[in-house]
Amino acid sequence: MSFRMPNEVFSSLLAATTAFIGGNLLNLPVWGIFIGWAATYLAGGPNRATLTKLWPAMAAGSTFALVIVLLDAEFGTVLGSSTMAKDAVLAVVIFVVNTALMYAGRTRVLALVPGMFCGFASYFATVFGGFGFLPHNPLAAWLSAVLMNALGPVFALIAHAVATRGQSVPEPEEARAVSARDK
């Protein structure tokens, strides 16, 4: 009889490794890993169908958020420097870019709109929280958030592989339907 580490223990051990990824040295937003990891299960579990939907969606969400930050930096004071004027410009920028994000969700590649919002939120938390390898730098925050979100599904795959080692685990019904449709 071989020893199998319980999923709860192995997943916690894997989660603990994020201290070395985002610790003080690199300042990376490790919560992006956990957001991507959780999103993997919310979107259907760690399988090819889920990952091919989730990875591009999260990266696109971070990209739309980057566009908001860059447009706000460029045009944020076009109506003046008062808080109300800057907020009005930001509201317009968010409206326009978020509308584009939502329409992008109508495409096959970006149809997982909640995944885009996972990337969107991860980016804003990274840039405004001062995380990333160059704190408060919009492009460094984008790269940091995209990288951390991309690692989340990898962690989900590793945890799932260890938890189900030696077992035959059926793929969820939704994932089989998506896989069949994508072929």
Side-chain angles (χ1 to χ4, degrees):
M1 176 180 226
S2 67
F3 172 75
R4 241 189 50 193
M5 186 178 296
N7 183 40
E8 296 81 0
V9 173
F10 184 76
S11 291
S12 297
L13 181 64
L14 198 54
T17 67
T18 65
F20 298 100
I21 296 171
N24 295 327
L25 180 63
L26 297 176
N27 197 38
L28 293 173
V30 294
W31 62 82
I33 294 172
F34 295 106
I35 289 170
W37 193 342
T40 301
Y41 284 96
L42 289 171
N47 57 64
R48 184 175 28 144
T50 298
L51 275 53
T52 57
K53 294 183 305 185
L54 185 57
W55 273 324
M58 287 189 301
S62 288
T63 303
F64 281 102
L66 169 64
V67 169
I68 288 173
V69 168
L70 294 176
L71 288 174
D72 186 51
E74 184 67 27
F75 301 108
T77 58
V78 74
L79 296 178
S81 59
S82 72
T83 300
M84 182 62 99
K86 291 191 289 187
D87 287 349
V89 171
L90 180 58
V92 170
V93 168
I94 291 170
F95 173 77
V96 170
V97 176
N98 195 70
T99 300
L101 178 148
M102 298 297 285
Y103 272 108
R106 292 184 178 199
T107 66
R108 183 178 184 150
V109 172
L110 301 178
L112 189 61
V113 174
M116 283 198 282
F117 280 102
C118 288
F120 198 78
S122 294
Y123 175 78
F124 284 129
T126 302
V127 72
F128 294 125
F131 290 88
F133 58 90
L134 292 173
H136 300 291
N137 177 295
L139 294 175
W142 178 84
L143 183 59
S144 298
V146 168
L147 177 62
M148 294 298 98
N149 279 159
L151 281 176
V154 173
F155 277 51
L157 283 168
I158 293 168
H160 181 74
V162 169
T164 60
R165 185 181 52 218
Q167 298 176 355
S168 171
V169 177
E171 208 173 72
E173 187 66 35
E174 179 186 327
R176 281 196 303 269
V178 170
S179 293
R181 189 174 57 229
D182 289 343
K183 289 181 181 178

